[in-house]
Amino acid sequence: MSIICTEENRCLTVHIQGELDHHRARELMTQLDREINCALPRKLELDLSGLTFTDSSGIALLLRTYRNVQELGGTMCVRNTPQQAKKVFWAAGLQHIIPFEGV
Amino acid sequence: MKLDNYTVLEFPSRSANEGFARTVAACFAAQLDPTLEEINDIKTAVSEAVTNAIVHGYPDRIGKISMKLRIKEDRVLEIIIRDWGTGIADVAQARVPMFTTGGEERSGMGFTIMESFMDNLKVRSELGKGTTVTMKRRIACRVCK
């Protein structure tokens, strides 16, 4: 599990790679928080193309990140959501809260 | 052909074992020739049940968790995940979507996902004695009629 961040014009793109579960969630949240607080993005793009597995830990991570970005006055979208992750997020109705692109 | 097979796995409630347990479940289920989606559903449900046992069964200590996998009649995979920890005071409340007593990294969607990804979910719990989660999922036969 790792994240790769790129930033341009206060648009922060975060690629999440590997398997996301409770074991990895807290560390990933800390890392994401740090990146967001550092970049103060107007727009955050979460690219999940490298996410090979997620359970409900991913739901908590997305909701929390979405809240953080909104509090800073930014927007957020999620891209390239794999089938498995989509099924988990849709079970929680996340598609009604967070903008998902290309699903 | 009558399939009848089982395995039992026992491990301490360390979060590093979440990935191990769901991988074992996926490997065991492979003999039923599931689709990728079926495998993913099983992995996700196991991940939720094992995480619950770790987070809520043993909130302040490392305890024992067991996972029994059995292939029953009619290509039904049964998964029983058990802990001997705290127990759940109110199972009905725990199963309500978004209800959680966990921290900010928990979503309260564990049981909801187990329910929607498996055909059947039973939760038995007693305070101070532990929790047993029994899940069933029939794997459709892709070649036989």
Side-chain angles (χ1 to χ4, degrees):
Chain A
M1 172 106 269
S2 65
I3 60 172
I4 299 167
C5 301
T6 49
E7 199 217 324
E8 208 182 322
N9 284 329
R10 290 187 60 198
C11 174
L12 179 66
T13 305
V14 180
H15 288 257
I16 299 182
Q17 288 173 324
E19 299 205 341
L20 172 55
D21 59 14
H22 156 255
H23 178 59
R24 285 120 169 151
R26 196 177 281 267
E27 185 196 333
L28 186 66
M29 277 184 181
T30 313
Q31 257 180 303
L32 254 177
D33 284 358
R34 202 185 308 131
E35 294 291 343
I36 290 166
N37 288 332
C38 192
L40 299 175
R42 266 196 290 263
K43 184 168 190 198
L44 173 73
E45 294 184 353
L46 271 188
D47 190 315
L48 303 185
S49 52
L51 183 68
T52 51
F53 174 86
T54 184
D55 61 14
S56 65
S57 309
I59 299 170
L61 179 92
L62 254 58
L63 282 175
R64 180 191 149 104
T65 306
Y66 183 66
R67 258 198 322 268
N68 282 354
V69 171
Q70 276 203 321
E71 271 170 25
L72 294 167
T75 60
M76 173 178 140
C77 75
V78 183
R79 283 198 314 217
N80 301 325
T81 311
Q83 259 324 303
Q84 188 271 335
K86 183 182 167 184
K87 201 166 172 181
V88 172
F89 298 154
W90 263 234
L94 282 198
Q95 73 276 23
H96 304 302
I97 304 169
I98 299 169
F100 284 81
E101 279 179 10
V103 283
Chain B
M1 184 180 63
K2 189 172 182 278
L3 284 161
D4 187 13
N5 197 6
Y6 73 92
T7 190
V8 182
L9 180 73
E10 194 180 293
F11 52 92
S13 59
R14 297 188 191 283
S15 61
N17 287 325
E18 291 158 10
F20 176 64
R22 64 176 176 262
T23 305
V24 169
C27 289
F28 183 82
Q31 61 196 292
L32 289 168
D33 190 28
T35 61
L36 184 61
E37 187 178 8
E38 285 166 337
I39 281 280
N40 280 336
D41 288 355
I42 290 161
K43 282 174 76 177
T44 312
V46 167
S47 200
E48 301 298 346
V50 170
T51 301
N52 272 354
I54 291 171
V55 175
H56 302 289
Y58 304 107
D60 42 22
R61 66 187 166 107
I62 298 294
K64 183 172 82 174
I65 296 172
S66 83
M67 177 172 75
K68 288 184 190 173
L69 301 156
R70 182 183 287 277
I71 290 166
K72 306 187 76 161
E73 261 180 71
D74 200 25
R75 303 173 57 84
V76 171
L77 174 70
E78 182 185 66
I79 305 170
I80 304 175
I81 291 164
R82 183 169 183 197
D83 70 69
W84 288 262
T86 309
I88 303 166
D90 186 341
V91 172
Q93 184 187 42
R95 289 175 71 151
V96 170
M98 303 287 178
F99 175 85
T100 182
T101 55
E104 61 181 358
E105 77 278 12
R106 310 301 313 142
S107 66
M109 290 301 291
F111 280 129
T112 308
I113 284 175
M114 287 182 245
E115 270 168 12
S116 60
F117 283 35
M118 303 297 275
D119 297 331
N120 188 279
L121 172 75
K122 252 187 229 155
V123 185
R124 271 184 30 225
S125 191
E126 203 176 327
L127 278 181
K129 295 215 167 150
T131 301
T132 305
V133 170
T134 305
M135 305 185 277
K136 286 184 189 143
R137 173 76 189 255
R138 186 174 177 275
I139 305 299
C141 188
R142 286 189 283 166
V143 269
C144 44
K145 292 223 168 87

